[in-house]
């Protein structure tokens, strides 16, 4: 048998992959920490440490199982900090006759490895990651010939195909979607469950990152790294969610509470996106818990969780592979503004943005409504260039890998795709933020005031957004009511709102 080298990427830590069913002296696995991956965006410190720690743990797991592994750490002398250069060096040095890799989830890396294979004189093969419910082209095939890509239709099809919460061809309880039951504000007297965190000592890895002079953002307690860095810890986090958080997850999944960063969310996206655990086992475990405790876990809690994974997660990946690379450069509203300086510090008088950003810098995490309706909402209302927003999201969140980040940012958050993902822009005034959070009551600005010294910036920017983009948005059937209200406003009221918005936009780094 000819000697084979197999590449494992940092987000391919799938111990259940068929590659690992048996050991062979003729097969060597290679993993590498390289600057092309740490430097294509300015990442949160916790993201870099989390990836490196999880990769190292996985390499050790493979070695303990009897597999041959070559691991290139970030400061190794032989590390050329590039996939192609390192692979060529290893192939020449060890006389490998066969190169194999798993399909990357990022278009950028996919292109790098395709080009590398074209340069090879030895045999090469690529295999699926065996992680997702769908393959790359499945969503495109599902919507073939259709003008719209409504996620709900895809979600129904996935439920049917994989027999998830189904009774034959009918959804359990006769209803597909319980989203309307999952929009509750957490009562003021309610004390959310404290999150399960880990105490991984990654101080040695932090020293290596510092030695390599990798530019990062955010903070970290490297001696008590709170995120899971192995499959074992990922399973522990999953169990904690199922037993303790699932009973209230759906009801409060959109809620926001100052200084409460985790609430009832699973925080399993980092583990899943690195493939330390699979979406199938997470969904199956949730259904098992619901079946065991039907009187304690209402069905809407379960369905909302399942929809995020088998619906939204698979849908976004499908959109990514259907629309890339063009999708990354879309800017339907032609927004060009820079991201406010305080997105990197949290130093703003707006309580909701201050809390969400400082939480992000501290934990490398914010839940989906904080991302969509706080940081994303403001960036869109401010006319920020979607490239700027995407670079920020890609860097600051520990679970941000381009296939899921850019589809949510360009599509859902910034409406830069013109409606491929979302049927309307997801923007709001202060009223929605107050409805779903406890931010507004203690804010410097006044939620109900639209103009003047302490007027909430969201209020005037909201109307300015619709006025500025009327030529592209007013024909949208989901926005008829918004434009009807705008048209009914008195001329002097409109002028005051637009002037207030103009003031905030000109002084955006000071609000």
């Amino acid at each position: 048998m000819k000697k084979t080298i197999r590449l494992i990427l940092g987000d391919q830590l799938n111990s259940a992959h068929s590659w690992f069913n048996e050991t062979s002296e003729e097969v060597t696995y290679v993993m590498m920490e390289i600057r092309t991956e740490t430097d294509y965006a300015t990442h949160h410190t916790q993201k870099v440490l989390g990836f490196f720690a999880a990769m190292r743990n996985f390499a050790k797991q493979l070695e303990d199982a009897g597999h041959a592994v070559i691991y290139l750490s970030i400061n190794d002398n032989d590390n050329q900090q590039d996939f192609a250069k390192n692979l060529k060096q290893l192939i020449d040095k060890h006389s490998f006759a066969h190169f194999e890799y798993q399909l990357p989830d990022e278009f950028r890396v996919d292109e790098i490895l395709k080009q590398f294979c074209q340069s090879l004189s030895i045999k090469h093969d690529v295999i699926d990651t065996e992680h997702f419910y769908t393959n790359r082209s499945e969503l495109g095939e599902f919507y073939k010939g259709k003008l719209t890509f409504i996620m709900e239709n895809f979600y129904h099809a996935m439920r049917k195909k994989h027999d998830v919460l189904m009774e034959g061809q009918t959804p359990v309880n006769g209803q597909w979607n319980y989203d309307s039951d999952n929009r509750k504000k957490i009562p003021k007297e309610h004390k959310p469950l404290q999150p399960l965190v880990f105490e991984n000592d990654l101080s040695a890895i932090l020293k290596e990152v510092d030695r390599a002079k990798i530019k990062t953002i955010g903070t970290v307690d490297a001696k008590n790294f709170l995120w899971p860095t192995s499959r074992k810890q990922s399973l522990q986090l999953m169990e904690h969610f199922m037993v303790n958080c699932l009973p209230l997850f759906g009801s409060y999944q959109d809620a926001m509470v100052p200084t409460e960063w985790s609430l009832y969310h699973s925080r399993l996206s980092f583990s899943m996106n690195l493939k330390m655990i699979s979406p199938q086992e997470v969904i199956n475990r949730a259904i098992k818990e619901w079946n065991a405790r039907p009187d304690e876990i209402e069905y809407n809690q379960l369905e909302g969780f399942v929809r995020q994974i088998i619906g939204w997660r698979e849908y976004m990946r499908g959109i990514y592979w259907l629309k890339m690379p063009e999708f990354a450069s879309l800017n339907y509203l032609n927004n060009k503004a820079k991201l406010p300086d305080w997105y990197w510090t949290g130093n703003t008088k707006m309580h909701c943005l201050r809390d969400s950003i400082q939480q992000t810098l501290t934990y490398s995490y914010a839940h989906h409504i904080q991302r969509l309706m706080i940081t994303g909402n403001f960036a869109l209302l401010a006319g920020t260039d979607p490239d700027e927003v995407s670079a920020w999201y890609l860097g600051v969140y520990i679970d941000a890998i381009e296939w899921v980040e850019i589809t949510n940012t360009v599509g859902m958050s910034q409406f830069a795709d013109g409606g491929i993902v979302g049927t309307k822009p997801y923007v709001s005034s202060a009223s929605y933020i107050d409805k779903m959070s406890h931010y507004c009551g203690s804010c410097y600005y006044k939620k109900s005031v639209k103009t003047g010294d302490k007027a909430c910036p969201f209020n005037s920017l909201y109307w300015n957004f619709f006025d500025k983009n009327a030529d592209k948005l007013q024909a949208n059937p989901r926005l008829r009511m918004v434009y009807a209200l705008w048209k009914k406003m008195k001329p002097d009221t409109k002028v005051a709102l637009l002037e207030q918005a103009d003031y905030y936009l000109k002084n955006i780094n000071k609000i």
Side-chain angles (χ1 to χ4, degrees), residues 224-411:
N224 298 283
F225 188 79
L226 62 92
W227 293 97
T229 60
S230 66
R231 174 169 171 79
K232 179 180 179 180
Q233 290 184 344
S234 298
L235 290 172
Q236 289 173 348
L237 185 59
M238 182 178 75
E239 284 300 306
H240 173 78
F241 169 76
M242 300 304 171
V243 175
N244 301 294
C245 302
L246 183 59
L248 289 175
F249 166 77
S251 296
Y252 298 136
Q253 68 176 17
D254 289 359
M256 296 172 283
V257 181
T259 71
E260 296 286 353
W261 69 281
S262 183
L263 299 176
Y264 295 97
H265 291 271
S266 73
R267 295 184 289 113
L268 290 172
S269 50
F270 175 66
S271 294
M272 283 197 292
N273 290 354
L274 268 62
K275 302 180 183 60
M276 292 187 284
I277 53 175
S278 74
Q280 294 90 342
E281 66 184 325
V282 172
I283 284 180
N284 290 340
R285 181 64 186 86
I287 294 172
K288 179 181 178 181
E289 191 70 20
W290 174 69
N291 280 326
R293 301 161 62 192
D295 295 333
E296 299 175 56
I297 304 174
E298 297 171 322
Y299 183 70
N300 68 290
Q301 320 290 354
L302 172 68
E303 188 279 322
F305 181 69
V306 167
R307 179 165 18 96
Q308 284 193 352
I309 298 175
I310 199 172
W312 200 245
R313 187 172 187 262
E314 298 286 335
Y315 171 81
M316 285 303 198
R317 176 174 179 259
I319 291 289
Y320 181 81
W321 286 108
L322 178 65
K323 296 296 183 179
M324 284 293 283
E326 295 79 13
F327 194 86
S329 59
L330 294 177
N331 190 354
Y332 178 70
L333 298 177
N334 197 34
N335 288 332
K336 297 295 184 182
K338 289 190 67 63
L339 202 65
D341 294 345
W342 39 261
Y343 267 69
W344 306 97
T345 64
N347 294 331
T348 171
K349 295 190 287 289
M350 288 178 283
H351 189 188
C352 59
L353 280 154
R354 181 175 68 249
D355 186 75
S356 296
I357 292 171
Q358 290 180 349
Q359 171 189 305
T360 294
L361 295 172
T362 302
Y363 298 105
S364 193
Y365 174 82
H367 72 67
H368 65 286
I369 295 300
Q370 289 176 307
R371 301 187 200 194
L372 178 66
M373 299 308 299
I374 303 296
T375 52
N377 184 7
F378 189 89
L380 180 52
L381 293 179
T384 311
D385 189 324
D387 285 349
E388 290 247 331
V389 185
S390 186
W392 188 78
Y393 279 120
L394 185 59
V396 295
Y397 292 119
I398 194 166
D399 57 5
I401 301 175
E402 190 188 61
W403 67 267
V404 68
E405 176 277 321
I406 206 163
T407 43
N408 273 291
T409 302
V410 171

Side-chain angles (χ1 to χ4, degrees), residues 351 430 433-435 437-447:
H351 189 188
I433 297 171
D434 185 50
K435 177 184 177 183
S437 77
H438 297 289
Y439 290 132
C440 298
S442 55
C443 186
Y444 170 86
Y445 296 102
K446 303 303 179 185
K447 63 184 179 182

